[in-house]
């Protein structure tokens, strides 16, 4: 492997890893804020318990999200310095804005929230968690602005003299239609993740307590099941709608990714959507066989018309060769086709795994109808199994969108909008002065450290989940002066 | 002023924010290793008023450690964002600088990143489990994660002052060992000493009781050493690599450290903190002043990256100027408010019992199939400090 492959592996590993924790933080922070709001507004102790219970899980998760996020900002310069030189004028802006507008807010106000339980007035303290929640979502907006620009560069010209992309319209960058679709998709996916997390854990606890004959305490969790379930249902609809829009934009902006997602080799009218496809590992079109197909469905996803023509990989390859050249600087032929198997399967896994949450949501909807609780063991098993699914779906979603973008790091914008010439192959973006040895060293170091941290993170989360909310019996009365004792303590270092 | 110069100054301001604020975080983290040792009979601070700590029980030692960590508890995370903002601003305003610097200083940055990662999770996870072994690991991570950046940021900035090997394409071609010279290593010693002193002064300012005394005594002993070493480096930098006007920064830094020497002796903690903070500001002025108009001076001046050839377009700089002008005062405002909210000193008698859970292996069936299997965790669990029982448990 050369430095390019290693740098790509490193980016993939560190980014997918980072994005295990990010969606949970993005979704869970607002849910904890809602729980705390419910407590402040109603004075209902159950919501305080839930706030503290899920608040601790949020903190355990937040720490590792922050820690792995630092790497992300450094990595562009370390491994992808030629990319950074080419795009810095436009790509750096949203990153800097993110730090100034969002990251400062979330870090500062999280500190205030953790340590401010007994120091701030109730409502100000509540405002702190809302500040965190809003800032984490704003953070996502700026990061997605940067990413969407790579998928669909707008507001930019190529300057022949400086040899780089230069921003001419920040408004266009921040209102890129790719971004306007990706943001709700990512955010609703994060809410699905957090909703499943909250509902899954609470459902497991609820069943457990009902079976133990402790309905009073189980009722605390029922509130969380309902909150999580509603979050799942609403975000599920949002994911589908935004994903549909994304598919149509992708067809327009990155037809090769669309074709690869379907492993569609030859141009077709009324292209089918296949559920199962068998191919060999050579990444060539020859070995691809579609086994189970939904006729016309890919055409529908891409355009809304079941009989529309979808260009296949072979034809697109020829088009790209005409436009961007047959060979790279070293004279090697360029394949403009992403890895078919990875693109095809990650697309399906994203959809399929996310749909799993729907099963939990519907089961919860039925079993908790009209104030009911359940002792159904299968439901509690389903709840636990569902928890990791949206995490995996998010990971596959990113693997799809980034692997499907290859061999580009900045995809050429197909529409003649003054941004012609703004494109870069991934191979052109890698650092020139960084040796494979350096990248191997850092790859091994990050992977090993991340592996250890993942184990600790998981065990900590599990430990806190199994501990459950504070016992109702210990401080039943709202007038109990000690009732908040677990407050400041819960979050102190 | 040209926008490129404005941004050069702004990035210097962001680094100032980072080094002043995280400077004491690093110092406090390093001091956790010094004041928070687990062995008996440690007499690091020495001095007349300070006990050697040997008579403390393990429980008292742990409380002291938590006093140390909690002085920066609510603020370290916000402080660290200054680094990310400096990085992001460099990327946006001077992409060539960002690209050359980050790919060139690969190994030191990698080590800094690893250190920062373990430090972050250790801060947040330390109190989550009530186990001495768990906390010992967290403390090691905090101490490591504080020493490493404290040393390496100094080495890195000294390299920027000294100049590095860049080729005609502005690529760093020096290799790792070219970054290590007597001058740059001394730079590492300066930041380490400076942050240690800064951290000790901060700790004395923010704590009460035994830790305050020990931190004050250590600051008093460190201040003259820091004065000598930092002045030596600054004069070296000034004579070898800088321009005339930065003598002002050298003199201010030395004077401020002189004030630190005097005020730590008199235990005027507030003024001593002003002194160390001013020293760091002056150091950044010296470093950035010596570079200007380069952002990354090359050994062959023809290859240097300058504020002009490394910069983004005028358009991007204009946009970013508006963004920074609107948001930076806001950041200062709410971060300042945070320090106001948490202005009180912390002492060991305010430290509550650990609310961490026991490090119990979870043997019960987490899949919930057998409902009875989980009963143990609900009815008065057998761990030594359940979360919902806030009574301080006596600790051996």
């Amino acid at each position: 492997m050369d430095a390019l492959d290693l740098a790509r592996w490193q980016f993939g590993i560190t980014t997918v890893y980072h994005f295990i924790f990010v969606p949970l933080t993005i979704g869970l922070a607002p849910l904890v804020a809602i729980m705390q709001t419910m407590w402040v507004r109603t004075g209902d102790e159950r919501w305080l318990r839930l706030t503290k219970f899920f608040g601790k899980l949020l903190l355990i998760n937040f720490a590792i999200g922050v820690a792995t996020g630092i790497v992300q900002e450094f990595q562009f310069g370390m491994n992808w310095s030629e990319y950074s030189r080419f795009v810095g004028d436009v790509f750096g802006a949203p990153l800097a804005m993110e730090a100034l507008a969002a990251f400062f807010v979330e870090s500062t106000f999280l500190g205030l929230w953790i340590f401010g339980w007994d120091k701030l007035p109730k409502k100000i303290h509540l405002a702190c968690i809302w500040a965190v929640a809003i800032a984490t979502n704003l953070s996502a907006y700026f990061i997605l602005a940067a990413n969407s620009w790579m998928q669909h560069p707008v507001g930019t010209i190529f300057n022949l003299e400086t040899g780089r992309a230069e921003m001419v319209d920040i408004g266009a960058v921040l209102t890129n239609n790719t971004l306007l679709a990706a943001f709700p998709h990512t955010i609703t996916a994060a809410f699905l993740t957090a909703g499943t997390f909250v509902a899954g854990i609470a459902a497991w606890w609820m069943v457990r307590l009902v079976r133990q004959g402790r309905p009073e305490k189980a009722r605390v969790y029922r509130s969380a099941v309902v909150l999580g379930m509603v979050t799942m249902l609403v975000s599920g609809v949002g994911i589908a709608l935004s994903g549909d829009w994304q598919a149509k934009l992708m067809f327009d902006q990155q037809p090769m990714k669309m074709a690869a997602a379907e492993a569609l080799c030859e141009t077709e009218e009324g292209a089918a959507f296949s559920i199962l496809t068998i191919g060999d590992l050579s990444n060539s079109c020859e070995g691809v066989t579609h086994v189970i197909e939904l006729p016309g469905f890919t055409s529908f996803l891409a355009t809304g018309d079941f009989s529309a023509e979808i260009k296949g990989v072979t034809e697109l390859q020829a088009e790209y060769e005409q436009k961007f050249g047959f060979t790279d600087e070293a004279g090697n032929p360029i394949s403009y086709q992403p890895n078919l198997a990875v693109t095809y399967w990650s697309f399906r896994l994203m959809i399929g795994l996310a749909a799993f949450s729907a099963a939990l949501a519907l089961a919860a909807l039925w079993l908790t109808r009209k104030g009911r609780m359940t002792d159904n063991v299968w439901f509690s098993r389903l709840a636990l199994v569902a928890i990791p699914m949206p995490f995996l779906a998010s990971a596959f979603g990113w693997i799809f969108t980034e692997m499907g973008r290859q061999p580009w790091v900045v995809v050429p914008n197909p529409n003649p909008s003054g941004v012609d010439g703004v494109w870069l192959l991934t191979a052109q973006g890698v650092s020139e002065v960084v040796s494979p040895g350096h990248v191997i060293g850092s790859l091994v170091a990050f992977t090993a450290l991340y592996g250890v941290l993942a184990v600790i993170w998981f065990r900590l989360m599990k430990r806190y989940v199994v501990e459950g909310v504070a016992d109702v019996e210990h401080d039943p009365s709202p007038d109990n002066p000690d009732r908040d004792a677990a407050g400041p303590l819960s979050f102190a270092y | 002023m040209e926008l490129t110069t404005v941004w050069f100054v702004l990035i210097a301001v962001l680094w100032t924010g980072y080094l002043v604020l995280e400077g004491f975080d690093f110092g406090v983290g390093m001091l956790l290793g010094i004041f928070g040792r687990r062995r008996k009979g440690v007499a690091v601070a020495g001095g007349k008023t300070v006990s050697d700590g040997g008579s403390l029980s393990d429980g008292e030692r742990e409380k002291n450690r938590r006093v140390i960590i909690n002085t920066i508890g609510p603020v370290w995370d916000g402080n660290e964002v200054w680094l990310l903002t400096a990085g992001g601003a460099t990327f946006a305003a001077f992409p060539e600088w960002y690209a050359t610097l980050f790919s060139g200083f690969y190994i030191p940055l990698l080590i800094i990143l690893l250190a920062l990662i373990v430090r972050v999770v250790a801060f947040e996870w330390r109190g989550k489990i009530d186990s001495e072994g768990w906390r010992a690991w967290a403390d090691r991570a905090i101490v490591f994660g504080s020493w490493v950046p404290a040393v390496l940021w100094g080495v890195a900035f000294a390299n920027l002052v000294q100049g590095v090997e860049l080729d005609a394409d502005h690529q760093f071609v020096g290799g790792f060992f070219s970054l290590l010279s007597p001058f740059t290593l001394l730079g590492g010693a300066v930041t380490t000493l400076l942050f240690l002193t800064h951290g000790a002064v901060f700790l004395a300012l923010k704590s009460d009781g035994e830790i305050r005394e020990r931190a004050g005594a250590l600051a008093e002993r460190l201040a003259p050493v820091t004065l000598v070493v930092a002045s030596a480096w600054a004069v070296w930098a000034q004579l070898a690599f800088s321009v005339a006007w930065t003598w002002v920064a050298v003199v201010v830094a030395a004077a401020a450290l002189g004030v630190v020497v005097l005020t730590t002796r008199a235990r005027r903690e507030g003024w001593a903190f002003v002194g160390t903070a001013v020293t760091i500001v002056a150091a950044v002025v010296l470093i950035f002043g010596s570079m200007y108009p380069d952002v990354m001076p090359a050994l062959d001046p023809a290859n240097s990256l300058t504020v002009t050839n490394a910069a983004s377009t005028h358009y991007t700089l204009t946009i970013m100027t508006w963004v920074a002008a609107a948001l930076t005062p806001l950041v200062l405002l709410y971060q300042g408010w945070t320090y106001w909210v948490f202005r009180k000193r912390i002492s060991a008698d305010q430290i509550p019992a650990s609310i961490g859970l026991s490090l119990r292996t979870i043997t019960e069936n987490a899949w919930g199939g057998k409902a009875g299997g989980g009963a143990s965790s609900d009815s008065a669990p057998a761990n030594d400090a359940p979360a919902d029982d806030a009574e301080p448990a006596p600790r051996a």
Side-chain angles (χ1 to χ4, degrees):
Chain A
M1 268 200 259
D2 55 12
L4 172 65
D5 290 330
L6 291 163
R8 283 187 62 194
W9 271 108
Q10 182 166 331
F11 198 90
I13 289 171
T14 53
T15 309
V16 168
Y17 186 85
H18 177 56
F19 211 77
I20 296 172
F21 314 107
V22 169
L24 185 58
T25 296
I26 290 175
L28 192 54
L31 291 184
V32 170
I34 289 170
M35 293 172 192
Q36 194 173 341
T37 308
M38 296 295 283
W39 171 60
V40 171
R41 289 187 65 131
T42 65
D44 186 339
E45 288 288 305
R46 284 181 299 180
W47 288 111
L48 176 61
R49 283 164 217 291
L50 288 171
T51 304
K52 286 175 179 167
F53 175 61
F54 284 107
K56 285 177 206 166
L57 296 172
L58 172 67
L59 291 179
I60 293 167
N61 188 65
F62 195 93
I64 191 164
V66 168
T68 53
I70 312 171
V71 176
Q72 296 309 103
E73 201 188 31
F74 279 58
Q75 164 153 239
F76 295 113
M78 290 170 74
N79 285 337
W80 303 97
S81 61
E82 299 316 300
Y83 167 78
S84 302
R85 286 177 216 280
F86 182 77
V87 303
D89 191 66
V90 45
F91 187 84
L95 295 192
M97 289 178 189
E98 189 247 359
L100 270 167
F103 203 11
F104 263 127
V105 176
E106 64 192 76
S107 300
T108 308
F109 284 89
L110 190 74
L112 281 158
W113 188 69
I114 299 172
F115 289 86
W117 279 87
D118 57 344
K119 290 203 171 59
L120 294 169
K122 232 183 201 179
K123 286 193 176 162
I124 304 235
H125 184 252
L126 173 64
C128 290
I129 188 69
W130 275 110
V132 174
I134 292 165
T136 49
N137 282 265
L138 189 61
S139 222
Y141 188 83
F142 287 115
I143 297 304
L144 288 169
N147 181 268
S148 296
W149 182 84
M150 299 162 78
Q151 314 281 350
H152 181 226
V154 291
T156 311
I157 54 156
F158 177 69
N159 185 333
L160 203 60
E161 204 176 306
T162 56
R164 67 180 181 182
E166 292 182 353
M167 185 158 68
V168 291
D169 186 356
I170 181 76
V173 173
L174 293 179
T175 57
N176 190 345
N177 55 9
T178 317
L179 166 64
L180 298 181
F183 179 66
H185 195 67
T186 310
I187 291 301
T188 47
F191 274 89
L192 185 79
T193 308
T196 311
F197 182 81
V198 168
I201 290 169
W204 175 72
W205 260 112
M206 181 178 74
V207 170
R208 198 175 180 208
L209 289 165
V210 169
R211 290 175 77 84
Q212 283 171 10
R214 303 176 67 194
E216 214 31 60
K217 197 172 178 188
R219 208 145 274 288
V220 177
Y221 289 105
R222 189 186 170 278
S223 311
V225 173
V226 173
L227 176 64
M229 177 185 70
V230 171
T231 308
M232 277 191 279
L233 290 173
V234 173
S235 55
V237 173
I239 289 171
L241 292 176
S242 56
D244 178 60
W245 185 19
Q246 280 190 302
K248 292 183 170 56
L249 289 176
M250 180 172 73
F251 171 64
D252 182 39
Q253 296 164 356
Q254 300 182 61
M256 185 63 107
K257 192 193 277 184
M258 189 81 207
E262 187 41 47
L264 186 70
C265 288
E266 301 306 327
T267 302
E268 276 180 34
E269 279 178 19
F273 182 90
S274 59
I275 311 278
L276 178 65
T277 290
I278 301 170
D280 56 24
L281 294 172
S282 65
N283 196 31
S284 77
C285 265
E286 260 112 69
V288 175
T289 318
H290 299 296
V291 180
I292 309 171
E293 293 188 319
L294 300 175
F297 213 72
T298 293
S299 290
F300 178 72
L301 279 181
T303 65
D305 173 2
F306 280 101
S307 57
E309 180 189 270
I310 305 292
K311 281 183 185 165
V313 169
T314 315
E315 182 178 343
L316 288 166
Q317 169 75 23
E319 278 183 20
Y320 276 86
E321 282 170 350
Q322 289 299 326
K323 233 171 163 176
F324 304 105
F326 290 86
T327 56
D328 63 14
E329 283 127 13
N332 303 311
I334 305 176
S335 168
Y336 293 100
Q337 163 190 331
N339 186 308
L340 289 184
V342 169
T343 316
Y344 179 91
W345 282 113
S346 56
F347 188 53
R348 275 151 190 77
L349 285 167
M350 169 184 76
I351 297 170
L353 293 170
F356 205 95
S357 289
L360 175 64
L362 293 175
L365 192 62
W366 176 250
L367 292 167
T368 61
R369 68 192 185 282
K370 294 181 191 155
R372 271 173 229 218
M373 292 198 286
T374 176
D375 64 351
N376 188 323
V377 171
W378 282 103
F379 176 57
S380 86
R381 284 184 189 155
L382 172 69
L384 286 191
V385 172
I387 291 172
M389 298 303 171
F391 287 92
L392 293 169
S394 288
F396 282 115
W398 277 110
I399 290 169
F400 166 64
T401 204
E402 299 300 288
M403 289 292 285
R405 194 189 57 205
Q406 302 303 325
W408 304 103
V409 64
V410 180
V411 181
N413 189 332
N415 303 313
S417 54
V419 291
D420 290 344
V422 178
W423 45 263
L424 195 73
L425 290 166
T426 306
Q428 295 170 314
V430 74
S431 293
E432 285 174 9
V433 297
V434 175
S435 72
H438 282 63
V439 192
I440 287 181
S442 58
L443 180 60
V444 169
F446 281 128
T447 309
L449 178 60
Y450 280 13
V452 171
L453 294 182
V455 171
I456 302 174
W457 168 80
F458 182 77
R459 295 197 54 180
L460 260 181
M461 295 291 268
K462 188 173 163 195
R463 182 70 187 82
Y464 271 81
V465 166
V466 171
E467 188 68 16
V469 298
D471 246 330
V472 185
E473 292 80 6
H474 278 240
D475 45 345
S477 147
D479 304 322
N480 182 350
D482 291 334
R483 87 195 154 87
D484 229 351
L489 304 186
S490 310
F491 300 101
Y493 283 176
Chain B
M1 209 172 3
E2 288 276 324
L3 267 187
T4 47
T5 304
V6 170
W7 270 91
F8 183 76
V9 173
L10 250 170
I11 285 167
V13 168
L14 293 171
W15 276 107
T16 306
Y18 177 66
L19 296 172
V20 168
L21 297 172
E22 278 272 87
F24 64 71
D25 293 341
F26 291 144
V28 169
M30 291 187 269
L31 292 172
L32 177 68
I34 297 171
F35 295 154
R37 277 206 198 145
R38 284 181 162 71
R39 275 183 291 115
K40 301 237 173 205
V42 186
V44 178
K48 47 226 177 271
T49 57
V50 178
S51 82
D52 67 0
S55 57
L56 293 180
S57 72
D58 286 347
E60 286 166 320
R61 283 160 187 268
E62 170 55 16
K63 285 208 165 167
N64 279 343
R65 284 191 286 271
R66 286 177 63 191
V67 167
I68 295 170
I69 295 170
N70 277 282
T71 57
I72 55 170
V75 294
W76 66 267
D77 195 2
N79 295 346
E80 191 176 74
V81 180
W82 288 87
L83 169 66
L84 293 160
T85 311
T90 309
F91 198 174
F94 300 103
E96 291 281 336
W97 185 13
Y98 171 81
T100 300
L101 180 67
F102 281 52
S103 59
F105 289 14
Y106 196 92
I107 292 174
L109 283 175
L110 170 68
I111 299 169
I112 287 174
L113 284 176
L114 296 172
L116 292 179
I117 290 172
V118 298
R119 192 185 72 120
V120 170
V121 293
F123 273 136
E124 283 298 349
W125 289 355
R126 183 186 192 277
K128 294 284 180 284
I129 295 293
D130 188 16
S131 139
E132 202 47 39
W134 172 274
R135 284 190 291 261
W137 273 106
D139 291 346
R140 281 180 205 126
I142 292 170
V143 171
F144 170 81
S146 302
W147 276 96
V148 166
V151 176
L152 290 183
W153 286 128
V155 176
F157 276 111
N159 268 290
L160 290 183
V161 172
Q162 175 191 265
V164 289
E165 275 182 58
L166 301 184
D167 68 11
D169 295 329
H170 306 306
Q171 297 277 11
F172 176 81
V173 288
F176 173 64
F177 289 101
S178 76
L179 298 175
L180 308 177
S181 72
F183 177 75
T184 61
L185 292 174
L186 188 62
V190 170
T191 46
T192 311
L193 279 168
L194 198 50
F195 292 161
L196 258 178
T197 313
H198 193 41
V201 169
F202 180 84
L203 194 52
L205 181 65
K206 292 291 295 175
S207 65
D208 220 343
E210 191 208 337
I211 289 295
R212 181 184 179 184
E213 281 173 28
R214 291 176 71 183
L218 184 61
E220 183 185 340
R221 289 162 61 103
L222 280 170
V225 184
T226 309
L227 172 63
V228 171
V229 178
S231 302
W233 183 82
V235 171
W236 188 350
Q238 181 62 40
L239 293 175
F241 306 110
S242 198
V243 286
W245 72 265
T246 53
W247 271 113
V248 179
V250 177
V251 171
V252 169
L257 276 174
V259 170
V260 175
V261 170
L262 297 175
T263 48
T264 48
R265 207 167 285 171
R267 295 293 191 276
R268 302 288 298 270
E269 290 136 352
W271 285 108
F273 183 73
V274 171
T276 48
V278 168
T279 308
I280 294 172
V281 175
V284 176
V285 171
L286 169 62
I287 290 164
F288 279 74
S290 77
M291 288 196 288
Y292 187 82
D294 293 342
V295 292
M296 207 164 168
L299 296 182
D300 176 357
N303 296 343
S304 289
L305 276 171
T306 67
V307 289
T308 319
N309 68 21
S312 283
T313 55
H314 190 263
Y315 177 80
T316 298
L317 292 178
T318 310
I319 300 288
M320 291 312 298
T321 306
W322 283 108
V323 173
L327 292 175
T328 314
L330 216 59
V331 171
L332 290 172
L333 212 64
Y334 59 69
Q335 285 212 333
W337 179 62
T338 309
Y339 284 90
W340 171 253
V341 169
F342 300 108
R343 65 193 177 279
K344 287 218 174 89
R345 289 177 183 272
I346 295 167
S347 63
D349 50 18
Q350 298 162 359
I351 297 288
S354 168
I355 50 86
L357 303 179
S358 65
L359 187 66
R360 156 186 71 162
T361 321
I362 298 146
T363 49
E364 61 207 86
N365 180 7
W367 290 86
K370 302 275 188 294
S376 68
S377 78
D378 297 310
S379 49
N383 50 9
D384 45 353
D388 44 14
D389 180 5
E391 286 299 308
R395 223 163 290 276

